């Protein structure tokens, strides 16, 4: 059972959705299909968990974004080869 982070209802369910993400350098946005998401049947909000957001942002920071298509699947993005092993600028880790 999931609790909605917006309305605190227990009507939240796992889903996958298309999201649009701005690249770290601000040059463009890309479409990411089949992104793991949470959808609340009560309030209608659809969102990504903090974990998913961090994974996407880290991956976009660690790969050569100039080689990205305008649209791709989440799985394809996460499998893109990294230039660095981890985000050395994320001091929260």
């Amino acid at each position: 059972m999931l609790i909605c982070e917006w309305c605190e209802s227990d009507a939240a369910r796992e889903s996958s959705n298309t999201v649009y993400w701005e690249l770290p350098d601000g040059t463009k946005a890309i479409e990411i299909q089949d992104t793991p998401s949470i959808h609340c049947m009560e309030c209608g909000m659809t969102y990504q968990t903090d974990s998913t957001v961090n994974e996407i942002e880290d991956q976009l920071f660690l790969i050569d974004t100039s080689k990205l298509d305008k649209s791709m699947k989440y799985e394809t993005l996460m499998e893109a080869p990294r230039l660095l092993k981890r985000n050395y600028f994320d001091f929260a880790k």
Side-chain angles (χ1 to χ4, degrees):
M1 179 173 68
L2 294 172
I3 302 297
C4 176
E5 292 181 17
W6 294 90
C7 73
E8 299 181 353
S9 165
D10 63 358
R13 304 289 181 262
E14 291 182 2
S15 66
S16 63
N17 289 324
T18 298
V19 297
Y20 300 88
W21 223 272
E22 184 177 349
L23 297 183
D25 63 5
T27 57
K28 66 179 179 178
I30 60 169
E31 178 184 78
I32 309 170
Q33 304 162 2
D34 298 328
T35 303
S37 303
I38 305 294
H39 177 74
C40 179
M41 305 301 280
E42 181 91 13
C43 70
M45 182 62 74
T46 300
Y47 59 93
Q48 290 69 51
T49 63
D50 289 342
S51 173
T52 299
V53 169
N54 288 335
E55 288 173 6
I56 292 170
E57 289 181 351
D58 276 352
Q59 184 69 349
L60 289 173
F61 187 74
L62 299 172
I63 63 175
D64 182 356
T65 57
S66 68
K67 296 181 180 179
L68 293 179
D69 293 331
K70 291 181 181 182
S71 178
M72 70 188 57
K73 293 191 178 284
Y74 173 82
E75 186 176 299
T76 303
L77 171 64
M78 300 313 288
E79 291 173 352
R82 292 180 168 193
L83 301 173
L84 298 170
K85 291 183 181 183
R86 68 180 191 91
N87 183 350
Y88 295 99
F89 299 101
D90 184 356
F91 301 111
K93 293 181 181 180

